[in-house]
Amino acid sequence: MNIVAYNPAFRDACIAIFESNMPAFFAPEEKALFTDWLDNHTTTGYYVAERDGGILACGGVFYFPEKQVAVLTWGMVHADHHRQGIGKLFTRYRLELLQKQHPGVVCRIETSQHTKAFYERLGFVAKEVVKDGFGKGLDKWEMEMGHAFKT
């Protein structure tokens, strides 16, 4: 698996990854937000994981220097490739990148009840849960890793 910086040539593949995860992991109404992110906020800190010419995953990192907080953004693996370790490797890559760029920073993520256990295994803890926070049936779990990153 090769991880490279996002460029607009990957846009359609990333949207296909998003769609493959609807409605189980993303609410349909989130698609417009994700498309806007791809079009307007990926000049730095957004990546894709590719293998054999195919895009398997996408996700990013964003840093708020005034708050000394980093976030993992719009991370996802194509549904056809779930449970193969890609998400874990790709998330670790992004966490290690944040740790190198901003040592000791607090890292946050917003995820759903369907993936919260995945992030707990990486060292994240729940800070707040908002029922239906992403859409009907998709609770928003606000999680944080405020200690040394686990890898």
Side-chain angles (χ1 to χ4, degrees):
M1 184 171 78
N2 188 34
I3 298 173
V4 298
Y6 174 86
N7 73 62
F10 300 131
R11 184 181 188 274
D12 290 345
C14 290
I15 291 171
I17 292 170
F18 183 93
E19 290 172 341
S20 80
N21 284 286
M22 287 182 355
F25 298 99
F26 293 107
E29 55 267 29
E30 291 181 280
K31 184 177 174 184
L33 296 171
F34 179 62
T35 302
D36 178 69
W37 178 265
L38 291 176
D39 292 343
N40 298 302
H41 302 285
T42 54
T43 55
T44 60
Y46 204 70
Y47 304 90
V48 299
E50 58 182 359
R51 183 174 62 204
D52 300 327
I55 305 300
L56 308 177
C58 54
V61 296
F62 197 80
Y63 180 63
F64 297 94
E66 67 282 358
K67 296 179 182 179
Q68 294 290 298
V69 169
V71 294
L72 296 180
T73 59
W74 293 111
M76 61 196 86
V77 174
H78 194 287
D80 291 345
H81 301 285
H82 285 182
R83 307 198 66 76
Q84 297 176 16
I86 295 165
K88 186 176 184 179
L89 289 171
F90 190 52
T91 302
R92 283 181 173 171
Y93 171 85
R94 294 184 294 146
L95 289 171
E96 289 170 5
L97 181 66
L98 282 173
Q99 183 62 17
K100 286 177 191 169
Q101 292 175 345
H102 311 287
V105 72
V106 171
C107 186
R108 295 187 178 142
I109 190 164
E110 293 179 348
T111 193
S112 76
Q113 71 270 26
H114 303 297
T115 51
K116 66 134 182 124
F118 170 84
Y119 290 102
E120 286 173 334
R121 287 190 297 273
L122 292 171
F124 284 84
V125 295
K127 293 296 183 183
E128 184 177 357
V129 179
V130 179
K131 183 161 179 55
D132 297 329
F134 289 121
K136 182 81 171 144
L138 280 176
D139 302 338
K140 181 190 295 185
W141 283 69
E142 296 179 11
M143 304 182 79
E144 184 176 284
M145 180 188 288
H147 53 81
F149 292 106
K150 286 187 177 182
T151 55

